[in-house]
Amino acid sequence: MSRHGHGPSGPPIRKAKDFKGSLKQLVRYLARYRVRIIIVMLFAMASTVFSIYGPKILGEATTEIFNGVMAHISGAGGGIDFARLGQILLFLLILYLVSAGFSYLQSFIMAGVSTRITYSLRGEIQTKIGRMPLSYFDRVSHGEVLSRITNDVDTLSQTLQQSITQIITSLTSFVGILYMMLTISWQLTLVALCTVPASMAFVSFIVRRSQKYFVRQQEYLGHVNGHIEELYGGHTVMKAFCGEEASIRQFDALNETLYTTAWKSQFLSTLMHPVINLVSNIGYVVVCILGGWLAAAGSLTVGGIQAFIQYVRQFNQPIAQLGNISNVLQQTAAAAERVFEFLNEPEEEPDHPRVHLEGPEESRVKIEGRVEFQHVRFGYTPEKVVIHDFSARIEPGQKVAIVGPTGAGKTTMVKLLMRFYEVGGGAIRIDGHDIRDFTRDEVRSLFGMVLQDTWLYSDTIRENIRYGRPDASDEEVAAAARAAQADHFIRTLPGAYDMVLNEEASNVSQGQKQLLTIARAILSEPKILILDEATSSVDTRTELLIQRAMDNLMRGRTSFIIAHRLSTIRDADLILCMRGGDIVEQGSHEELLRRGGFYAELYQSQFERPSQGAGEAAK
């Protein structure tokens, strides 16, 4: 809860985008489990029917006792017939045991169904994540996605287990109890029925009011989880820049809205019981008065009155349960809407391969490493174009450097080359074949990539390197580490290659992380290399060692190097100088310096002193 009170706050409450559509889609999803669900329904109905019949049998036992006592008092009989009474009670015991058995079986089967649904949905979400375009994750936080996998799927599973069986038992109870009441006294039944419209009207009112709060509760639960996940992931940065207060304020605002919506939804759902009980008790009092009059008139037995009173006490329970189920269904629909909204998100455009790197001889091609950019145009959003008209031709084995100021489009070109994003215009070709003529997996299998931001996962160092080629032997892993100048520091660590990296890989330094990712790239033996500031996180001495390893690795391979420190790419065969999404200059290091253009300015700027640069800017 917020530390600053609990008053309503936040943006206006939103209703579900497609409430009925989400329920319909959920029903279609449940169709694959239709056999089990039908069995659950039948068992739930059987359990309810046997349970409903119990009070009438108990009423017969009460009548038997009453008649025996009255006969004994009047001297007209031998008293209570215990043999008959025992038969009635034994039959009643069997009824309740059978009802309990069916209830256990339907609960057991439904628990299996809900667990399978949870398992299946999480698997589908995980598969969906692999098919989503990167643009989705540019605009949606990781915490939001995690919330759908955890909170929303759990809510869906739990509420389904409750709602399906309760809907069946409540409807069966309502119809069964009504039938049993009619068999006892139609007059009393009419009185009891007068309470139904009032109860149903109140339930309908609560459902309409609570729907929007349940939807918003799930939505803001995702926002809170997303904020916490990002806060935890960037904890060091947040502490370094004294962002605690701002983070707390943001959390309080989100948590306040979550509190408000959760409070309203729970209040409205719990309000249902007291009001329905009030209506039920009013009807109960009227039934008792009329029942006593009918019994005195001889129109109704004492056991019949007792059974009917029991039924009256139970009569409004199905209505209250249906009201509760309607609230549960609000949660179910809200969770289902978020889950299916994610599952229905547009995926990457399907591949339409025309050529392959493997397979039949007629469609298989051999890649040498020639890359062509032909008038490439791209924007992360249609209204904001990043790459305007990019054209370049790189021959096999060339070492190509891409330089330019921050935001010039250097890394974007690499993402387009590997089909992380699709070009908006023009084409990228490898050995004359449009990269869209290959599958994405085949295109990416051609590349070895070392990024400025390292990525390692929680496993041994050996397995992190082997990720580049899962079938590599331990000897090949060690050889790749030696080529990347990483073998020495690995052997000094506790456990050496078997040391387990933690979740954030914070038990090794940033430079060591970079060396491990370089070893991974070396192990993959790619046709084309992409080095995006690959040596930016290592010291000068280590950089020289890595540079030697890279020179050996790049020999005979087409290589793309993105670098800000221009001293590291002086020996490149071709330098592409970018500004504002276009190539403004290209050539070798010496050629570009002789021209005295934009590249020469960039190169000279790295030798300027800060005070000198400020003075030049002020002129």
Side-chain angles (χ1 to χ4, degrees), residues 198-218:
S199 299
M200 294 299 291
F202 183 75
V203 168
S204 177
F205 173 78
I206 293 295
V207 169
R208 287 197 305 269
R209 292 295 303 272
S210 62
Q211 172 186 337
K212 54 190 176 184
Y213 296 113
F214 279 111
V215 172
R216 201 168 187 229
Q217 178 184 346
Q218 289 299 120

Side-chain angles (χ1 to χ4, degrees), residues 185 187-195 278-294 300 305 308-309 312-313:
S185 171
Q187 297 97 329
L188 294 179
T189 303
L190 289 178
V191 173
L193 283 175
C194 292
T195 64
L278 174 63
V279 175
S280 175
N281 287 333
I282 293 173
Y284 178 71
V285 171
V286 176
V287 166
C288 288
I289 295 173
L290 182 59
W293 180 77
L294 291 174
L300 198 62
I305 294 176
F308 196 92
I309 289 175
V312 168
R313 296 299 293 175

Side-chain angles (χ1 to χ4, degrees), residues 476-585:
E476 290 173 318
V477 170
R482 286 192 294 272
Q485 312 300 314
D487 180 72
H488 174 72
F489 92 79
I490 291 173
R491 295 187 184 279
T492 62
L493 297 171
Y497 284 90
D498 293 319
M499 174 181 164
V500 176
L501 301 177
N502 60 27
E503 186 176 357
E504 299 294 329
S506 58
N507 48 348
V508 293
S509 70
Q510 185 64 32
Q512 289 171 337
K513 292 182 193 178
Q514 194 66 278
L515 292 173
L516 293 178
T517 59
I518 291 170
R520 178 194 296 163
I522 292 173
L523 183 65
S524 67
E525 298 181 346
K527 296 288 185 181
I528 305 172
L529 284 172
I530 297 175
L531 309 175
D532 188 352
E533 295 288 346
T535 60
S536 62
S537 300
V538 298
D539 58 82
T540 304
R541 182 176 178 277
T542 306
E543 180 181 350
L544 292 174
L545 295 175
I546 293 175
Q547 201 63 50
R548 293 175 191 170
M550 287 300 169
D551 289 340
N552 293 329
L553 178 63
M554 290 186 289
R555 188 174 295 116
R557 290 188 174 95
T558 305
S559 304
F560 292 87
I561 305 170
I562 299 175
H564 283 212
R565 287 183 287 182
L566 303 187
S567 58
T568 62
I569 48 92
R570 285 179 296 185
D571 60 340
D573 299 313
L574 178 65
I575 298 175
L576 304 177
C577 190
M578 296 187 66
R579 180 170 60 179
D582 294 319
I583 297 177
V584 293
E585 289 181 320

Side-chain angles (χ1 to χ4, degrees), residues 393-413:
R393 179 184 175 90
I394 296 93
E395 295 298 330
Q398 275 193 321
K399 180 179 178 181
V400 180
I402 305 176
V403 301
T406 300
K410 303 184 298 297
T411 302
T412 300
M413 290 309 307

Side-chain angles (χ1 to χ4, degrees), residues 280-339:
S280 175
N281 287 333
I282 293 173
Y284 178 71
V285 171
V286 176
V287 166
C288 288
I289 295 173
L290 182 59
W293 180 77
L294 291 174
S299 302
L300 198 62
T301 64
V302 172
I305 294 176
Q306 181 220 347
F308 196 92
I309 289 175
Q310 282 186 278
Y311 284 129
V312 168
R313 296 299 293 175
Q314 298 177 16
F315 185 58
N316 281 313
Q317 286 183 9
I319 300 174
Q321 288 174 352
L322 286 173
N324 286 333
I325 292 168
S326 65
N327 284 324
V328 170
L329 286 177
Q330 304 301 316
Q331 288 182 297
T332 306
E337 185 176 54
R338 285 170 53 80
V339 171

